[in-house]
Amino acid sequence: MLAPLLLVVAAGATSIAAGPATAQPAAKPRPLGQVVPAPASVSEGGPSYALSDKTRIRVDDDSNEAHRIGAYLADVLRPSTGYALPVTNRDAKDGIRLRLSSDRSLGAEGYRLQSGRYGVTITAARAAGLFHGVQTLRQLLPAAVEKDTRQQGPWKVVGGTIEDVPRYGYRGAMLDVSRHFFTVDQVKRYIDQMALYKINKLHLHLSDDQGWRIAIESWPRLATYGGSTQVGGGPGGYYSKADYKEIVRHASSRYLEVVPEIDLPGHTNAALASYAELNCDGIAPPLYTGTEVGFSSLCVPKAVTYRFLDDVVRELAALTPGKYLHIGGDEAHSTSHEDYVTFMDRAQAIVGKYGKKVMGWHQLAGARPVEGAVAQYWGYDATSAAEKAKVVDAAKEGTKLVLSPADRAYLDMKYNKDTPLGLSWAGLVEVQRSYDWNPQTYLPGVPDGSVLGVEAPLWSETLSTNDHIEFMAFPRLPGIAELGWSPTATHDWDAYKVRLGAQGPRLAALGIDFYRSSQVPWAAR
Ligand code: ACM
C-alpha cells in the first residue's frame, strides 16, 4: 500500500505548501489543508457542510469506542454551537458519521475525512484513527467552536477529502513533574492540548533529584518523604497509584500511551534522601531544592540497589499498560563509566523481566543497549562529534531512536533573551528554529527505519503553573507534532507559519496562554 499512498502525498503537497496565498478571509470556511499537523493528502471541492440543529453524530452500532469518540466530539461542539448533536447508531441522512472500516491502508492511526452537502464522514481502521480525524474536524470549524459558551455560527466545513496517516508512530511530549509537581488535573489539561495535535505518547519524568512523584508500596518513603518538596522548596507532591491510573486512563481516552520514567542511576537524590541504605556510605543526604545536575548516584556495588530497582520497576510496570519503561541514564556524572555500564545492564534486564521495552536518554548508547532498546537523543548543535557517533553506531546496531534535540524540541528553552521563563543552555529556540529540521536526517548516518519519531520534553525547573506550561509549549509543541505526523513533502516554514497563525484564535478560544511569536502571522479570528 505504500507506493500509491506516497503518490497521493506528493499530489496533496501542492495545495498545502502554497504559502501565504492559502490564507482566507475568516468568514469563509477554512481550507481543508489549513490543519496542523498538515494532512498527508488533501483534495478540496464540492459543496460544504453546515452543522445545524438537525445534525446527528452517527456511529457504528457495534463499537463502544466509536460511541465514546462520538460523545467526546459532541462535548466539544455542543456548548459553542448550542445544537443538541445526539449520538446515535440510527441511520441519519444529515450528520457527522464515524465509521470503522477494514481499509487497512489507513493503518493504526490514519483516517479519511470526506465532507459534502449532507455531512462529514470520518473513516478509520482503528478507533485511534477516528479520534485523530475528529481532531482534524475540530480544526476545520471556526475557532469559536472551541469556546464553552454559545457563539454565532455558521458552522461550515468546506467540501472535499482528506486522507491522512502519520509519518512516525512515536509522537511524544514529556512533562517533568519532579522539579515542580503538577496535579492530576494539570496533567489532564496538558493531555487534552496534546491530543488536539495528534501527539500519542505522554512521557512522565517521575523522579529526579528534587522529587520522587509516584507511590511505591514496597518503598513508601520514596513518595512520602522524597516527594515532599520541589525546586525552590515548595510542598511538592506525588501521585498515589489511583492518581497515576487516572492519568493513564485519561491519556488512553485521548489515544496517548503513558511512558513513565524513573531517572537512574544519577538524578536520584530524592531516593537517596529517602533511604539511607541506598547510599554507598549509608548516610542519607538532605532533600534538594536547587537546580544543579550530576551530583547524585545510586550505589552500583550494593545488592540493595537492585532489590530497590526490582521493586520499583515491578510496581510501575504493573500500573502501566504501555510498552515502554524509561530508565533515564542521562548526566550520570557521579557514576564511573564502569559502574554506569554495569548498572545499565542490570536495570535493562529488570525492565525486560517485567515485560517492558527499555527506553533511555541517548547516553544509553555509551553502555550496552539491549535488543529493542530505544535511545532518546537530546544533544544539540554543540554536542561533540564523538557523542553523536556513539548514537549513530548504536542505531546501526539496531537501537531505535526518538529525536528530541535540545535546541529544537526542548520546550523549556527560552524563545528569545527576554522570555521570562525557561533556560537557555542549548540556546534560544524561536518557533522557526523549533520547526525547521528533519528527524530523519538530523543525525547523518542513521539507517532508514531507526527513527521511531520525535518528542518535545518540557523540563520544569522554572515552571510551576498551567500558564507556564502553555506559554512554553505553545506554539512550539504543534510544530514538533507536525514533524512527527506530516510527510516531508509538506515541510515548508512559509506555509507552516500561516497554518500555525490560523491556530492562534483556536488556542485563545481554548484559554491557552501562548507565546505570540513575531515570526508567525497570527490570524485575527
Ligand atoms: C536531559 O536533558 N538531561 C535529558
Side-chain angles (χ1 to χ4, degrees):
M1 283 322 296
L2 202 55
L5 187 60
L6 287 175
L7 284 177
V8 177
V9 164
T14 47
S15 65
I16 297 163
T22 57
Q24 298 276 328
K28 290 206 183 137
R30 282 153 205 275
L32 285 184
Q34 207 175 66
V35 175
V36 176
S41 121
V42 173
S43 118
E44 201 166 300
S48 54
Y49 174 65
L51 268 68
S52 74
D53 54 4
K54 300 201 178 51
T55 300
R56 290 160 175 264
I57 298 177
R58 194 182 141 205
V59 295
D60 291 337
D61 211 6
D62 50 358
S63 168
N64 287 337
E65 276 195 278
H67 269 269
R68 218 177 32 71
I69 294 167
Y72 162 92
L73 175 60
D75 280 347
V76 173
L77 303 182
R78 276 178 192 140
S80 52
T81 63
Y83 302 145
L85 300 169
V87 181
T88 173
N89 52 25
R90 294 229 302 274
D91 247 354
K93 184 158 178 263
D94 180 298
I96 298 167
R97 179 158 184 220
L98 305 181
R99 207 178 132 245
L100 284 169
S101 88
S102 55
D103 183 348
R104 287 211 252 134
S105 71
L106 297 170
E109 294 191 287
Y111 67 92
R112 181 182 307 114
L113 183 150
Q114 293 156 295
S115 72
R117 189 180 318 279
Y118 296 109
V120 176
T121 298
I122 300 172
T123 307
R126 306 273 282 277
L130 285 184
F131 185 78
H132 295 321
V134 159
Q135 302 311 318
T136 294
L137 175 57
R138 284 171 75 174
Q139 290 194 27
L140 296 176
L141 287 161
V145 85
E146 304 293 347
K147 294 198 175 169
D148 56 13
T149 54
R150 184 85 179 258
Q151 304 293 313
Q152 184 69 43
W155 307 105
K156 278 191 184 171
V157 180
V158 78
T161 300
I162 290 177
E163 277 219 20
D164 206 7
V165 292
R167 178 181 183 191
Y168 293 114
Y170 193 113
R171 305 179 306 279
M174 187 207 83
L175 185 62
D176 171 8
V177 296
S178 178
R179 270 53 174 272
H180 281 98
F181 180 65
F182 293 92
T183 64
V184 173
D185 282 345
Q186 287 178 307
V187 176
K188 284 163 80 169
R189 179 174 164 90
Y190 194 33
I191 287 171
D192 287 349
Q193 294 165 358
M194 293 173 196
L196 184 56
Y197 297 101
K198 304 184 175 76
I199 295 281
N200 70 352
K201 303 282 184 276
L202 168 66
H203 171 179
L204 282 176
H205 186 75
L206 288 169
S207 72
D208 212 302
D209 291 318
Q210 297 85 346
W212 184 285
R213 306 297 180 203
I214 178 74
I216 300 293
E217 271 159 43
S218 45
W219 297 76
R221 271 176 63 81
L222 290 171
T224 58
Y225 182 69
S228 65
T229 192
Q230 60 187 1
V231 167
Y238 64 90
Y239 305 122
S240 67
K241 290 195 172 182
D243 289 340
Y244 180 83
K245 282 184 188 162
E246 176 56 16
I247 292 173
V248 167
R249 186 203 62 73
H250 189 77
S252 161
S253 78
R254 305 307 190 239
Y255 296 88
L256 278 95
E257 176 179 342
V258 172
V259 179
E261 178 188 355
I262 299 296
D263 202 348
L264 306 161
H267 290 278
T268 44
N269 188 76
L272 296 166
S274 303
Y275 288 96
E277 66 263 43
L278 292 176
N279 295 270
C280 281
D281 61 6
I283 300 169
L287 293 169
Y288 181 68
T289 60
T291 58
E292 295 300 310
V293 297
F295 61 87
S296 57
S297 179
L298 289 173
C299 187
V300 174
K302 271 190 163 178
V304 67
T305 296
Y306 305 97
R307 287 202 298 280
F308 157 81
L309 196 54
D310 195 283
D311 287 335
V312 168
V313 171
R314 173 173 46 75
E315 292 193 34
L316 190 54
L319 288 174
T320 303
K323 59 179 171 296
Y324 298 105
L325 204 148
H326 199 305
I327 54 172
D330 58 320
E331 296 174 312
H333 305 318
S334 300
T335 318
S336 71
H337 178 68
E338 194 188 357
D339 275 0
Y340 181 78
V341 174
T342 302
F343 179 85
M344 293 308 264
D345 280 349
R346 294 196 65 173
Q348 292 182 91
I350 291 170
V351 170
K353 174 177 158 191
Y354 292 108
K356 298 297 178 191
K357 243 185 203 305
V358 170
M359 198 158 168
W361 297 104
H362 74 254
Q363 282 70 23
L364 176 63
R368 290 185 283 249
V370 292
E371 197 176 331
V374 178
Q376 182 171 6
Y377 182 74
W378 62 282
Y380 60 119
D381 279 0
T383 298
S384 72
E387 188 169 335
K388 287 179 182 157
K390 269 188 207 159
V391 179
V392 173
D393 287 348
K396 287 179 178 160
E397 298 284 316
T399 296
K400 301 293 189 206
L401 302 180
V402 166
L403 275 276
S404 302
D407 53 353
R408 309 283 184 160
Y410 268 31
L411 301 175
D412 59 310
M413 289 300 120
K414 289 179 183 290
Y415 294 101
N416 60 55
K417 67 177 177 30
D418 298 325
T419 310
L421 303 164
L423 306 176
S424 57
W425 58 263
L428 301 170
V429 183
E430 252 293 357
V431 180
Q432 180 173 5
R433 181 166 178 77
S434 183
Y435 166 82
D436 233 347
W437 58 285
N438 182 344
Q440 188 56 48
T441 56
Y442 188 81
L443 285 174
V446 163
D448 278 355
S450 296
V451 176
L452 298 183
V454 291
E455 186 181 292
L458 184 51
W459 300 97
S460 65
E461 285 93 335
T462 65
L463 314 175
S464 58
T465 68
N466 282 120
D467 238 33
H468 294 167
I469 291 177
E470 289 161 22
F471 185 77
M472 299 311 275
F474 294 94
R476 288 179 293 196
L477 181 64
I480 302 299
E482 172 144 329
L483 291 176
W485 181 280
S486 306
T488 39
T490 65
H491 189 91
D492 175 47
W493 165 253
D494 287 330
Y496 174 69
K497 71 182 181 191
V498 174
R499 283 185 291 109
L500 182 60
Q503 296 292 310
R506 189 165 308 272
L507 295 174
L510 286 163
I512 296 175
D513 171 28
F514 64 101
Y515 165 61
R516 289 183 174 269
S517 168
S518 61
Q519 296 184 326
V520 179
W522 297 107
R525 64 194 181 103

